[in-house]
């Protein structure tokens, strides 16, 4: 498993970050432990989660890593999308809300600090200066080694980056959804290059769509069947064209579509690391092969074209 350095910082993360937010539902403790062991054995060390379902995935991750030394792995946590205060249950990126959310996350994870804390989204009312203040607090109190943002527009990341720099804190990452169905990250990459922070691609498999499993129907055990969101903003026609092109190219290379989709993301210009989730060890083993896959230039060009990258 390759290790990547986030642009403009000394922060190192696994090229393929294992997202575990999906462990909140339908993943047993035994399955989570098997996936964590498989990932670590393959050389991965970076786990990413958020406080969805009252932090159920965070608890499952803590259980899966129980007995391991803290220095064996990295934790990326996201807060802000789900309010931690009883009077603000929705998105809350206020200083008070973020402080409460991070402390609750640390308790559920069973750790004193996370390696990278991402403030996720925008509640529509909290100004950048207050978000920056919460990020500074996390670093200065030792609750987070590094800080970043997730799922915000480029201007917001640049704004917060400037505010943090004035406080002597470096914004090290901007995480955005990026994959073959949402392939244009030009504005984010350019802003990151200008300000000196890394870009982490989230939802690397478009919530399962790029595995190809929805091509001929909906499996009974899938997230779509259970009501989870799988749409990625692309039209039905675009989605079909991308998925079919991906499946054809993967078949020609003799690999799984998920493997090729993640390999494409890992080598996309300006992308430092890719987050993708797995709900079984078998799915994870497919994803792990992406880091070793060499994709011919002509296939990259063909996928870029169909994705509009």
């Amino acid at each position: 498993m390759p290790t990547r350095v986030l642009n403009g910082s000394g922060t190192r993360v696994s090229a393929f970050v294992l997202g575990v937010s999906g462990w909140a539902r339908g993943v047993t403790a035994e399955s989570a432990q098997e996936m964590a062991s498989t990932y670590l054995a393959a050389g991965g060390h970076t786990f990413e989660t958020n406080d969805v379902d009252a932090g159920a995935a965070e608890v499952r991750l803590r259980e899966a890593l129980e007995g391991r030394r803290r220095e064996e792995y990295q934790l990326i946590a996201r807060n802000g999308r789900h309010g931690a205060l009883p009077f603000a249950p929705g998105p809350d990126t206020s200083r008070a809300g973020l402080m409460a959310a991070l402390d609750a996350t640390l308790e559920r994870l069973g750790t004193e600090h996370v390696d990278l804390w991402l403030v996720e989204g925008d509640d529509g009312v909290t100004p950048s200066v207050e978000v920056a203040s919460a990020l500074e607090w996390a670093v200065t109190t030792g609750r987070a080694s590094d800080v970043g943002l997730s799922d915000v527009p480029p201007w917001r990341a640049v704004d917060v980056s400037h505010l943090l720099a004035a406080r002597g804190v470096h914004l090290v990452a901007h995480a955005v959804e990026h994959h073959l169905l949402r392939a244009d990250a030009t504005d984010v990459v350019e802003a990151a290059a200008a300000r000196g922070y890394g870009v982490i691609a989230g939802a690397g498999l478009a919530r399962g769509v790029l595995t190809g499993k929805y091509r001929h129907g909906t499996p009974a055990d899938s997230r779509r069947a259970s009501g989870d969101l799988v749409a990625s903003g692309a039209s039905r026609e675009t989605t079909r064209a991308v998925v079919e092109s991906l499946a054809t190219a993967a078949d020609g290379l003799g690999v799984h579509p998920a493997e090729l989709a993640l390999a494409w993301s890992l080598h996309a210009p300006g992308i430092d690391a890719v987050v993708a989730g797995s709900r079984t060890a078998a799915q994870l083993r497919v994803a792990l092969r992406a880091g070793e896959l060499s994709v011919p230039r002509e296939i990259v060009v063909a996928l870029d074209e169909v994705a509009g990258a």
Side-chain angles (χ1 to χ4, degrees):
M1 168 76 64
T3 296
R4 298 272 184 89
V5 178
L6 295 178
N7 175 54
S9 75
T11 302
R12 292 165 172 79
V13 298
S14 296
F16 167 51
V17 176
L18 180 56
V20 306
S21 297
W23 292 6
R25 286 175 282 169
V27 175
T28 66
E30 293 75 15
S31 180
Q33 188 172 47
E34 182 183 7
M35 284 188 279
S37 296
T38 298
Y39 179 67
L40 291 166
H45 59 267
T46 312
F47 297 86
E48 185 259 14
T49 188
N50 69 7
D51 51 4
V52 65
D53 288 347
E58 296 169 335
V59 173
R60 185 65 83 217
L61 179 59
R62 182 195 71 216
E63 295 169 344
L65 294 171
E66 191 171 357
R68 295 185 180 276
R69 292 178 294 113
R70 180 62 178 84
E71 58 267 28
E72 288 184 60
Y73 57 85
Q74 288 178 310
L75 297 173
I76 300 178
R78 289 182 285 132
N79 293 116
R81 187 81 71 187
H82 310 282
L85 300 174
F87 50 82
D92 183 6
T93 54
S94 68
R95 178 183 166 90
L98 290 172
M99 291 169 69
L102 179 55
D103 278 344
T105 284
L106 292 174
E107 182 174 359
R108 288 189 292 264
L109 288 171
T111 185
E112 295 182 350
H113 80 284
V114 293
D115 299 279
L116 175 58
W117 184 42
L118 303 175
V119 169
E120 182 179 24
D122 179 3
D123 62 12
V125 294
T126 303
S128 296
V129 65
E130 189 162 340
V131 173
S133 178
L135 292 168
E136 178 193 23
W137 162 82
V139 172
T140 56
T141 60
R143 287 169 168 85
S145 300
D146 287 303
V147 291
L149 297 170
S150 174
D151 297 330
V152 298
W155 67 263
R156 179 73 140 182
V158 169
D159 199 20
V160 172
S161 173
H162 279 289
L163 290 164
L164 282 175
R167 301 164 182 258
V169 177
H170 185 202
L171 187 83
V172 306
H174 183 184
V176 293
E177 184 170 345
H178 179 265
H179 43 69
L180 281 165
L181 291 172
R182 186 169 290 180
D184 186 6
T186 303
D187 290 347
V188 171
V189 168
E190 289 181 350
R195 288 297 304 156
Y197 51 81
V199 178
I200 299 175
L205 293 174
R207 299 170 181 84
V209 176
L210 294 174
T211 64
K213 65 182 178 181
Y214 300 118
R215 292 173 68 202
H216 307 296
T218 303
D221 62 347
S222 68
R223 282 177 286 181
R224 176 177 286 178
S226 65
D228 285 1
L229 177 68
V230 296
S232 299
S235 69
R236 186 179 299 275
E237 293 74 19
T238 297
T239 298
R240 184 181 298 111
V242 169
V243 172
E244 290 302 320
S245 295
L246 174 65
T248 299
D251 186 58
L253 291 174
V255 301
H256 193 283
E259 189 178 344
L260 178 56
L262 289 176
W264 177 87
S265 293
L266 282 169
H267 296 95
I271 300 299
D272 296 302
V274 175
V275 180
S278 298
R279 294 163 68 87
T280 68
Q283 292 176 352
L284 176 57
R285 291 186 185 98
V286 170
L288 288 171
R289 294 199 297 265
E292 307 301 324
L293 181 62
S294 178
V295 185
R297 178 61 186 165
E298 59 270 23
I299 289 183
V300 173
V301 172
L303 291 175
D304 285 351
E305 184 175 346
V306 74

